[in-house]
Structures are given as structure tokens and as C-alpha cells.
Amino acid sequence: MELGELAQKIGARMLVGGPAERMEISRVCAGDRMSDLLGEAGDGTLLVTHVTNMGLVRLLELMDVPGICLVKGAEPDDAVLETAKACGAALMVSREGMFETCGRIYQALRADVQGHRRE
């Protein structure tokens, strides 16, 4: 499923989109520790976190991350927004917490997979 479609299905607000919105997501990693996010970051992986500090800026600069979903209505500062744009990463915000957001993502991706199996 593409990031833009996933954002719509889970009710997340897209802060930075562009070409990254059309990237396919094959994995999801949720976490609050930078070491966990760095370990899972990669092509096709959506990171779900509440981290909005300079660590997130460094992660975007170092890793090939197609998208990040912030939770609990987090409002990233300008440095995070500008870095996401410069790195070509989508950045979206869910108003829900980590558990609810991940549940919605799981349901959306599962429905997408099941829909493809029927075709």
C-alpha cells in the first residue's frame, strides 16, 4: 500500500508528502527508542514514533526512510519538517496514540493484502 493511501485510511494528517506519498510500504516498525528505529529503518519501512527531537532529524539524514508517522498529534519543529522534505521522506501525524495507530495500520494493510488475494 502506498503511504498516501495508508495515511488516509488511518486518519493521519500528511505534513510532508510529495513523491514519498506514492512509495510502497512493506514493513512497519513502531518504537520510542532511537536505537530501535535506527535498527529497523530502511527502504519500504514506515516508522511510527512520538520522537520529534533532533534525533529524528539525524535518522532522516542517515537512513533511507520513506515515511514516518508521528503519534498523539505531535507537532514536529521546522528542522524536522525541512529535513523530511530535503530527504524525500513523507511525514504524517496520527492524533491517536501508538497502540491505536499501529492497530489502524495493521487493519489497513491486512485488508489491502486480503483484497489483492481475491483479485
Side-chain angles (χ1 to χ4, degrees), residues 53-103:
N53 59 26
M54 288 305 289
L56 190 60
V57 169
R58 298 297 174 248
L59 183 140
L60 284 164
E61 291 173 338
L62 293 172
M63 307 301 286
D64 186 19
V65 179
I68 296 175
C69 180
L70 301 174
V71 296
K72 290 188 177 180
E75 290 295 331
D77 61 24
D78 290 339
V80 173
L81 292 170
E82 292 303 317
T83 302
K85 287 177 190 172
C87 294
L91 187 62
M92 61 180 121
V93 178
S94 169
R95 65 181 174 271
E96 305 298 336
M98 182 83 73
F99 182 80
E100 179 68 22
T101 298
C102 288

Side-chain angles (χ1 to χ4, degrees), residues 7-81:
Q8 286 180 328
K9 289 189 178 205
I10 68 168
R13 181 171 47 102
M14 191 65 73
L15 298 178
V16 177
E21 288 184 67
R22 292 184 296 281
M23 295 186 93
E24 288 287 329
I25 292 301
S26 57
R27 296 181 58 225
V28 178
C29 173
D32 297 330
R33 295 185 326 200
M34 289 306 296
S35 59
D36 292 339
L37 296 173
L38 279 166
E40 295 297 327
D43 193 34
T45 301
L46 173 66
L47 300 178
V48 181
T49 187
H50 71 71
V51 174
T52 61
N53 59 26
M54 288 305 289
L56 190 60
V57 169
R58 298 297 174 248
L59 183 140
L60 284 164
E61 291 173 338
L62 293 172
M63 307 301 286
D64 186 19
V65 179
I68 296 175
C69 180
L70 301 174
V71 296
K72 290 188 177 180
E75 290 295 331
D77 61 24
D78 290 339
V80 173
L81 292 170

